[in-house]
């Protein structure tokens, strides 16, 4: 069991020591803006579509985008049998589960709060890395983990202050974010081996099959409004297909924890768009917790000395 676990989590601590070059900064800001807007696009899609349809549409459109790109970039490359388990695991934990949880959560909490909670990703990436690579946190990394969880608690308390429904949404978002913590630790060696397009088209293809049953539940409840369909198209083709290509490329270039720095900007973008375009309400407690979480994420993401 230990050997298999170490193989799955073979994105070693060395993978987290990559430094940013100019191309990496371009990838960083691009994915931050795209994923920061994704929570707004989910909210717009939910105006007339069920959560299951939003998830399926997003994943299927993302998969189609990358498979088309794959035909031009690397049509002959396929996943080797020895790696299929980890690719399938990524399809489940990086896409199918979190992409199902986010639309469900946004039935009870708004897009701005969802984005703020997603800022905990680097903290959870570091925690998963510590747990499975057995590298004990110390110094600033340990301080960062403590601050990160303090900030997450404040955001959660602020967001869940409205009652049990809001609390349910918070739990679902944190569950989705924890999935990212596992996935971002698994992905780097696979990305290096296969490239972003081959890996993520395979991952999204698997995830499309996994989330299909959710789309078929309450299929007749969808109203198919044009605005929701346009939002879903952007969410799938750009916010999933192009975004996962960019993110997987960044993970492979600079490592798992340092790539997760994108979540420093995602909460800012999601907060600004949510308040500006949807009049989202965010409590003072959540606003206090957000910078604490991001500071904790920054420190938790530092390489140990």
């Amino acid at each position: 069991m230990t050997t298999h676990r170490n193989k799955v989590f073979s994105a070693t601590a060395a993978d987290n020591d990559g430094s940013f070059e100019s191309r990496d900064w371009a990838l960083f800001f691009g994915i931050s803006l795209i994923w920061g807007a994704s929570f707004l696009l989910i909210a717009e899609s939910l105006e007339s579509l069920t959560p299951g349809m939003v998830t399926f549409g997003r994943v299927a459109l993302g998969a189609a985008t990358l498979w088309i790109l794959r035909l031009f970039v690397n049509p002959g490359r396929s996943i080797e049998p020895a790696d299929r388990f980890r690719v399938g695991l990524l399809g489940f934990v990086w896409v199918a589960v979190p992409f199902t949880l986010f639309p469900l959560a946004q039935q009870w909490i708004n897009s701005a709060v969802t984005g703020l909670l997603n800022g905990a990703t680097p903290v959870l990436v570091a925690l998963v890395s510590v747990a499975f690579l057995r590298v004990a946190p110390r110094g600033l990394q340990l301080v960062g983990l403590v601050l990160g969880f303090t900030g997450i608690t404040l955001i959660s308390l602020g967001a869940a202050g409205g009652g049990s429904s809001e609390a349910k949404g918070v739990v679902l978002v944190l569950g989705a974010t924890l999935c990212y913590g596992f996935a971002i630790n698994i992905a780097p060696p696979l990305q290096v081996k296969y490239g972003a397009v081959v890996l993520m088209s395979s991952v999204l293809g698997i995830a499309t099959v996994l989330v299909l049953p959710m789309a078929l539940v309450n299929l007749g409840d969808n109203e198919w409004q044009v605005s929701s369909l346009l939002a879903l198209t952007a969410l799938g083709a750009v916010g999933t297909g192009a975004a996962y290509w960019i993110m997987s490329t960044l993970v492979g270039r600079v490592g798992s924890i340092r790539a997760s720095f994108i979540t420093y900007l995602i909460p800012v973008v999601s907060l600004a768009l949510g308040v500006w375009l949807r009049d989202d309400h965010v409590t003072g407690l959540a606003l206090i917790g957000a910078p604490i979480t991001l500071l904790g994420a920054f420190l938790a993401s530092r390489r140990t000395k």
Side-chain angles (χ1 to χ4, degrees):
M1 180 65 179
T2 300
T3 301
H4 182 65
R5 181 190 64 189
N6 290 339
K7 181 180 179 182
V8 170
F9 289 89
S10 55
T12 64
D15 291 322
N16 300 325
D17 290 337
S19 58
F20 278 72
E21 300 176 358
S22 57
R23 180 184 175 187
D24 301 322
W25 283 113
L27 295 171
F28 172 86
F29 285 113
I31 193 63
S32 298
L33 292 173
I34 292 171
W35 270 344
S38 67
F39 303 107
L40 173 70
L41 294 173
I42 290 173
E44 291 294 327
S45 300
L46 287 171
E47 291 293 333
S48 71
L49 301 173
T50 64
M53 182 55 66
V54 171
T55 297
F56 174 74
R58 177 183 187 180
V59 176
L61 287 168
T65 300
L66 284 182
W67 274 98
I68 291 172
L69 184 61
R70 181 171 173 173
L71 291 176
F72 293 95
V73 174
N74 203 341
R77 190 73 165 104
S78 60
I79 303 297
E80 297 175 6
D83 295 321
R84 288 173 185 170
F85 172 78
R86 283 187 292 171
V87 173
L89 183 61
L90 282 177
F92 180 74
V93 76
W94 202 359
V95 180
V97 175
F99 281 20
T100 297
L101 294 181
F102 278 123
L104 290 173
Q106 286 188 229
Q107 295 178 105
W108 299 296
I109 58 176
N110 61 46
S111 61
V113 170
T114 304
L116 292 180
L117 288 169
N118 193 64
T121 296
V123 176
L124 297 177
V125 169
L127 185 64
V128 171
S129 180
V130 166
F132 284 88
L133 298 178
R134 295 183 176 178
V135 179
R138 60 184 183 273
L140 289 180
Q141 188 178 53
L142 180 59
V143 173
L145 288 173
V146 174
L147 283 175
F149 279 107
T150 301
I152 294 168
T153 301
L154 291 174
I155 297 172
S156 301
L157 290 175
S164 60
S165 294
E166 288 80 0
K168 186 185 298 184
V170 168
V171 170
L172 291 175
V173 171
L174 292 178
T177 306
L178 181 60
C179 287
Y180 287 158
F182 283 94
I184 294 175
N185 274 288
I186 298 171
L190 292 171
Q191 192 280 330
V192 170
K193 182 174 183 178
Y194 294 105
V197 175
V198 172
L199 174 63
M200 293 313 301
S201 60
S202 299
V203 167
L204 287 169
I206 292 168
T208 300
V209 177
L210 293 176
V211 302
L212 177 59
M214 287 289 295
L216 299 178
V217 175
N218 300 323
L219 183 63
D221 292 343
N222 294 286
E223 298 178 4
W224 311 108
Q225 294 178 7
V226 173
S227 58
S228 293
L229 292 174
L230 289 175
L232 182 59
T233 300
L235 180 66
V238 180
T240 305
Y244 266 84
W245 175 30
I246 296 170
M247 179 57 179
S248 186
T249 299
L250 185 62
V251 167
R253 287 175 60 86
V254 303
S256 59
I257 291 178
R258 297 175 75 82
S260 70
F261 289 1
I262 61 165
T263 49
Y264 299 155
L265 286 185
I266 288 176
V268 177
V269 174
S270 65
L271 176 62
L273 292 177
V275 172
W276 177 33
L277 298 176
R278 292 187 60 85
D279 295 322
D280 287 346
H281 172 71
V282 181
T283 67
L285 196 60
L287 290 176
I288 292 173
I292 294 175
T293 300
L294 294 182
L295 175 59
F298 177 79
L299 295 176
S301 301
R302 297 294 84 192
R303 68 182 72 178
T304 57
K305 301 297 184 181

